[in-house]
Amino acid sequence: MTEPVGSNPVAAVAKAAGTASAGVSRAGLIGISLGVVAAGAAAGVAIERLTVSRSTRRRAREELDAAAPYGSLRGRPRTVAAPDGTELYVELDGTGWPEPADLAPALPQQAPAQPEPAVMAEADGRSRRGWFARRRGAGPVDRSGLPGLLSGSGALARAGQAGPDTEPQAPAPPLTVVFCHGYCLNQDSWHFQRALLRDGMRLVFWDQRSHGRSERSRSYLAGEPASIDQLGGDLKAVLDAVVPEGPIVLVGHSMGGMTVMALADQHPELFRERVAGVALVGTLAGDWNSVTLGLPAVGAKLLRRLAPAAVRLLGRQVELVEATRRFGADVAAVFYRRFSFGSDDVDPQVVRFAEQLLDATPIDVVAEFYPAFGLHDKKAALAALHGIPVLVLAGTEDLLTPPAHSEDIARALPEAALVILPETGHLLMLERPDEVGLHLVELLHRAAGHAHAAPPPVPGAVRD
């Protein structure tokens, strides 16, 4: 017997898409709204889907908020000063740190001593110090991928095994994985990946300036426009403060991927010497202004003309926008789902979690960063990623950073692993956590082989 829609608030909201939400920015939403209103379309779709009473939707959201644990994982907190003095909120997580992150009261002033980097001979006879130089006596690196790592002949099975005549080797340095979140999100958007990799790994999560628990950008408040280059400098400050030595893997989603590219542009030597792997998730290297957000040509043209001015205007009316935001929450939820997820079977709790992430970003922060995307062009910076393991991950239904942009990145990096997930939108790490986790684990093992680092453990969920 079919249950009446109004009798189950959670089901009602899932059916009406009232809990939907997104990694799409509110600024992008404003631009989209302008286009469809001007075209006289989509508003009717929103009205058609909002058939459940407001009180029912509110009760459903309250139930979802009480039931969902998403965003509850915490690590050891740190505050890092950005180049302009902005205080960036950072958390160290995982059991691979010298002390468990959830037990240690504070990070030691200095990172634990790492093995001395090996010396690698260059073609011209010079020697170069680097973590990626092969250690004397080291065996061949297994590059067969995750299946080989799980088999008896894989590197994971061989780890710790030495023949009777093998001379002792210095302990391999551990990998540290640094996660960079996207626009209008915060570090909690990596919830599933954080839960998957905590056991035995060293993880770093941080909130981009003006986002999450980080301080509002001091330079922006002083009149300087926000830029992706500035975010690259922030990432360098985080690395210098909490992981100054040893091999690192950088994982960036959307604006976070752009942050990684900005770092590569500013410090290519870091990618030669310390970066052991990179994951670029739902992002692009440039040409943001060519993104149509799924609109027809006329709507996309109108969007590009009107959205920047509309965002600036709303950014100056913070109190008014924030005071009236709740009245438009139901309509916004329809757009959030459209521009965040690519399938209809997303857990309503996950959808609600995404909505909370987006709603936590004030409209003036949306306005702060929106102009920066049109200026972002780091195609040339991708050259710094040549020769290291790279994962390029996208969803087929991503309207914000369409998969064609990921394909462009992969063409610039022929050795990169390109993975396009079907029926998946922009928030693929929330929509497809199992698949994203599997590919990240595989990248980490390739990165460990590249850096001659200790192979990371294979999580039970991935092994299963």
Side-chain angles (χ1 to χ4, degrees), residues 24-38 183-184 293 295 299 302-304 306-317 321-322 325 332 335-336 339 358 361-367 370 400:
V24 62
S25 70
R26 193 176 297 109
L29 175 61
I30 292 165
I32 297 163
S33 301
L34 288 171
V36 286
V37 168
Y183 182 37
C184 292
L293 300 176
L295 295 173
L302 188 63
L303 166 66
R304 287 192 289 269
L306 299 181
V311 171
R312 286 195 301 270
L313 176 62
L314 293 176
R316 298 189 186 107
Q317 305 292 331
V321 172
E322 296 300 327
R325 182 172 59 183
F335 290 102
Y336 291 170
F339 293 96
L358 180 61
T361 306
I363 188 61
D364 52 336
V365 175
V366 175
Y370 186 76
L400 294 171

Side-chain angles (χ1 to χ4, degrees), residues 25-326:
S25 70
R26 193 176 297 109
L29 175 61
I30 292 165
I32 297 163
S33 301
L34 288 171
V36 286
V37 168
V45 175
I47 294 172
E48 179 183 348
R49 297 182 67 179
L50 299 175
T51 57
V52 182
S53 70
R54 178 170 295 178
S55 61
T56 300
R57 289 192 297 273
R58 185 179 65 253
R59 292 198 309 272
R61 291 191 180 99
E62 291 173 354
E63 289 188 16
L64 290 172
D65 293 346
Y70 305 132
S72 62
L73 300 179
R74 298 266 65 89
R76 192 191 326 177
R78 284 288 306 271
T79 299
V80 173
D84 68 344
T86 300
E87 294 186 352
L88 305 172
Y89 180 77
V90 182
E91 288 187 4
L92 278 63
D93 207 342
T95 62
W97 294 97
E99 295 180 286
D102 57 343
L103 298 179
L107 183 70
Q109 291 298 316
Q110 294 183 347
Q114 300 287 352
E116 184 68 18
V119 178
M120 180 167 60
E122 299 283 10
D124 58 5
R126 297 177 299 166
S127 62
R128 176 169 67 85
R129 305 178 73 83
W131 290 103
F132 300 158
R134 185 176 299 280
R135 303 182 187 284
R136 189 176 67 173
V141 178
D142 178 16
R143 303 189 184 279
S144 59
L146 189 59
L149 294 168
L150 298 178
S151 68
S153 61
L156 181 61
R158 293 199 306 268
Q161 299 179 2
D165 299 328
T166 303
E167 62 181 77
Q169 300 178 19
L175 289 175
T176 302
V177 190
V178 183
F179 290 83
C180 308
H181 69 78
Y183 182 37
C184 292
L185 301 173
N186 62 46
Q187 62 178 265
D188 293 340
S189 62
W190 296 108
H191 174 88
F192 292 107
Q193 293 70 42
R194 186 174 193 156
L196 178 70
L197 300 174
R198 295 179 103 186
D199 188 16
M201 291 294 298
R202 297 181 7 160
L203 310 177
V204 176
F205 299 89
W206 65 294
D207 292 338
Q208 304 256 28
R209 61 173 58 228
S210 298
H211 290 71
R213 298 171 180 84
S214 287
E215 185 184 14
R216 185 68 191 275
S217 173
R218 296 186 184 184
S219 58
Y220 181 79
L221 294 178
E224 179 182 335
S227 70
I228 302 300
D229 286 333
Q230 189 177 49
L231 302 182
D234 291 350
L235 176 55
K236 182 61 163 59
V238 170
L239 296 178
D240 290 344
V242 303
V243 55
E245 295 181 310
I248 51 180
V249 175
L250 302 175
V251 182
H253 168 249
S254 192
M255 186 176 75
M258 301 176 195
T259 300
V260 173
M261 297 177 213
L263 178 67
D265 188 34
Q266 298 163 15
H267 298 281
E269 76 285 351
L270 186 66
F271 287 72
R272 293 193 299 269
E273 298 168 2
R274 291 190 57 206
V275 177
V278 172
L280 299 175
V281 182
T283 190
L284 45 75
D287 298 325
W288 162 256
N289 291 327
S290 68
V291 176
T292 66
L293 300 176
L295 295 173
V298 174
K301 184 177 180 180
L302 188 63
L303 166 66
R304 287 192 289 269
R305 288 179 54 191
L306 299 181
V311 171
R312 286 195 301 270
L313 176 62
L314 293 176
R316 298 189 186 107
Q317 305 292 331
V318 178
E319 294 183 2
L320 176 61
V321 172
E322 296 300 327
T324 59
R325 182 172 59 183
R326 66 181 182 274

Side-chain angles (χ1 to χ4, degrees), residues 425-449:
H426 189 62
L427 290 185
L428 56 173
M429 68 283 193
L430 293 178
E431 186 173 8
R432 304 293 182 201
D434 293 343
E435 293 89 334
V436 171
L438 172 64
H439 292 294
L440 279 181
V441 169
E442 188 172 11
L443 171 69
L444 294 181
H445 279 273
R446 290 193 291 129

Side-chain angles (χ1 to χ4, degrees), residues 336-400:
Y336 291 170
R337 185 179 189 97
R338 168 66 172 161
F339 293 96
S340 295
F341 303 107
S343 61
D344 296 328
D345 60 350
V346 185
D347 186 338
Q349 291 183 344
V350 173
V351 176
R352 173 59 179 160
F353 175 50
E355 181 179 329
Q356 292 174 318
L357 291 174
L358 180 61
D359 283 344
T361 306
I363 188 61
D364 52 336
V365 175
V366 175
E368 175 182 341
F369 285 89
Y370 186 76
F373 301 123
L375 302 175
H376 170 67
D377 185 353
K378 298 301 178 189
K379 300 184 189 71
L382 294 175
L385 279 60
H386 280 293
I388 65 177
V390 175
L391 168 65
V392 182
L393 193 57
T396 58
E397 308 306 314
D398 189 341
L399 299 177
L400 294 171

